Amino acid sequence: MNWDRIEGNWKQVTGKAREQWGKLTDDDLAVVAGRRDQLAGKIQERYGVAKDEAENQIASWERKATDSWFNKDKV
């Protein structure tokens, strides 16, 4: 999956992000707003992991992304 697509549809994928990283708050996800570097920072902050680990988690999550994450029926 292309990160640009995740970023452009961030509101639709925040639920998936919350499933993956349950310690992230709604405010955290609002601040992230689809920006990968911000997401890495919030994962580091909430989970106490190094930047490399946060990036690895994001890359793994990104690989799981499918078209079903982007429900075109939602407005």
Side-chain angles (χ1 to χ4, degrees):
M1 183 58 60
N2 182 313
W3 187 264
D4 290 337
R5 186 164 182 206
I6 289 172
E7 184 175 11
N9 294 282
W10 184 247
K11 287 186 179 182
Q12 291 177 314
V13 299
T14 54
K16 294 292 185 182
R18 196 173 292 110
E19 286 175 20
Q20 181 73 29
W21 299 286
K23 291 183 181 179
L24 296 182
T25 66
D26 288 343
D27 286 343
D28 290 337
L29 294 170
V31 167
V32 168
R35 294 175 303 210
R36 190 183 186 112
D37 61 328
Q38 290 288 321
L39 180 57
K42 290 297 182 185
I43 293 168
Q44 287 176 263
E45 181 183 324
R46 296 287 181 212
Y47 288 89
V49 298
K51 183 176 182 177
D52 288 347
E53 174 58 24
E55 286 291 340
N56 288 339
Q57 289 182 21
I58 293 169
S60 175
W61 180 72
E62 183 180 0
R63 284 190 298 272
K64 294 178 196 172
T66 65
D67 286 338
S68 68
W69 286 22
F70 308 98
N71 186 341
K72 292 173 179 55
D73 296 332
K74 289 187 178 179
V75 176

